[in-house]
Amino acid sequence: MRGRDDSAAGVESGPVKPAPFDYVRARTLDDALAALDADSKILAGGQSLVPLLNMRLVRPTRVVDINAVPGLAGVRARPDGVLEIGALTRHTDLLASTLVRERLPLVAAATAHVGHRAIRNRGTIGGSLAHADPAAELPAALLALEAGVVISARGGERRVALDDFFVGALTTLLGAGEILRRVEIPDPRDAAWGFAEIARRPGDFAIAGVAVALHGARGQSARARLVAFGVGDRPVRLRAAEAALSRTAPTRELAARAAAQAAADCRPVDDVHASAEYRAHLVEVLTERAVADAIGRLLA
């Protein structure tokens, strides 16, 4: 979990040691799945889980460490063009991957905004998706790229589109006894991208942000995916803005048109960091910025 100064929120310090639990270090995926039950938690990078344990906001009876499980990390391209990213792939490794930088620049841009270096060194892509923080960058970027996830259970595997995976704040379709195994991203080579966020300080949670994937070419109608984060209980598809971009060939003037529609699909709330009105305004500003960048790349 990224560091954040909660003193302004009046948050009092709580316990700094977790409640007792059994620790299992799994050596294979089957071992991990066999150890899981409804009262278990999976330990990957631990950047979200460990603070929650220490504050006793979660009290599992068992923690299953999957760091020694082979085959859960790495980035590869399949012959059909789909890119696979293992759930245990660290943020730092995403940034270092030539394949990610060349084929998934939106993911690279989003990852660069995740926390600080120490957090990126341990945090994992699967952990970010499974934790489902509404202000997280990677869920929004991957949703814009039409990604899906492969989930393993004792009875086999299932594939779930990210459009369906996020249920609410810190809540996904992952069930008891299931492990997010990898992310699958359709061939992204024709996608121009844009990414913009506002945070109080570098490394803080975003107050609001927008990720854009734009498919098309000069003089042709575009297919757009716009996703906002920090403005709802999950990553939010900006469908009205998508429609504004998808009706005509991309031009630089379309960015303002999309921005005017962006807040229609957001339902931000007031909190100690920003008002709902301010967040809605930021979505418009950031949409125009991110869409303009994407159109510029598409027309270059």
Side-chain angles (χ1 to χ4, degrees):
M1 180 179 289
R2 281 170 276 178
R4 175 162 58 176
D5 180 5
D6 283 320
S7 58
V11 176
E12 298 180 0
S13 60
V16 294
K17 295 295 182 184
F21 58 82
D22 293 330
Y23 171 81
V24 175
R25 185 169 175 82
R27 300 292 177 179
T28 67
L29 183 60
D30 287 342
D31 288 344
L33 292 170
L36 290 175
D37 59 28
D39 295 318
S40 300
K41 288 291 184 181
I42 297 169
L43 174 63
Q47 300 306 291
S48 298
L49 177 62
V50 171
L52 292 174
L53 290 171
N54 287 343
M55 291 184 286
R56 301 196 178 187
L57 295 175
V58 295
R59 298 183 179 217
T61 58
R62 180 180 299 156
V63 171
V64 181
D65 186 340
I66 63 171
N67 281 277
V69 175
L72 292 184
V75 183
R76 75 180 188 95
R78 296 195 326 218
D80 61 0
V82 172
L83 296 182
E84 295 183 348
I85 304 177
L88 206 55
T89 306
R90 312 286 174 188
H91 302 318
T92 297
D93 294 329
L94 288 175
L95 289 172
S97 168
T98 300
L99 195 57
V100 170
R101 291 197 306 270
E102 293 179 352
R103 299 273 297 276
L104 295 171
L106 175 55
V107 171
T111 304
H113 285 82
V114 174
H116 303 282
R117 183 183 295 273
I119 289 165
R120 294 193 294 269
N121 285 344
R122 292 299 303 167
T124 65
I125 190 171
S128 180
L129 294 177
H131 186 55
D133 191 302
E137 293 88 357
L138 282 171
L142 290 165
L143 181 55
L145 290 170
E146 304 177 62
V149 292
V150 175
I151 297 169
S152 292
R154 296 178 199 178
E157 290 185 344
R158 63 187 178 116
R159 285 171 170 79
V160 178
L162 284 189
D163 274 309
D164 303 316
F165 181 71
F166 301 109
V167 175
L170 310 182
T171 308
T172 71
L173 285 182
L174 275 173
E178 293 188 320
I179 293 176
L180 197 160
R181 184 168 186 174
R182 66 179 177 271
V183 183
E184 295 182 340
I185 305 164
D187 192 339
R189 280 176 286 192
D190 68 338
W193 64 277
F195 184 88
E197 74 166 46
I198 292 290
R200 293 170 62 201
R201 298 165 301 194
D204 278 5
F205 291 107
I207 296 174
V210 175
V212 175
L214 193 60
H215 303 260
R218 187 184 297 272
Q220 299 178 4
S221 294
R223 178 169 57 89
R225 297 263 293 199
L226 280 70
V227 181
F229 55 100
V231 294
D233 65 352
R234 70 196 81 180
V236 178
R237 287 276 302 278
L238 303 178
R239 296 183 184 274
E242 290 176 357
L245 288 170
S246 299
R247 293 176 186 143
T248 185
T251 64
R252 298 184 190 277
E253 292 73 23
L254 276 180
R257 187 184 304 175
Q261 301 294 324
D265 292 297
C266 295
R267 299 293 183 270
V269 297
D270 296 324
D271 62 22
V272 297
H273 302 290
S275 67
E277 182 181 8
Y278 179 56
R279 280 195 164 96
H281 169 69
L282 285 181
V283 168
E284 294 185 27
V285 173
L286 296 173
T287 294
E288 183 167 7
R289 186 180 304 171
V291 170
D293 286 346
I295 290 175
R297 292 183 175 100
L298 195 62
L299 299 180

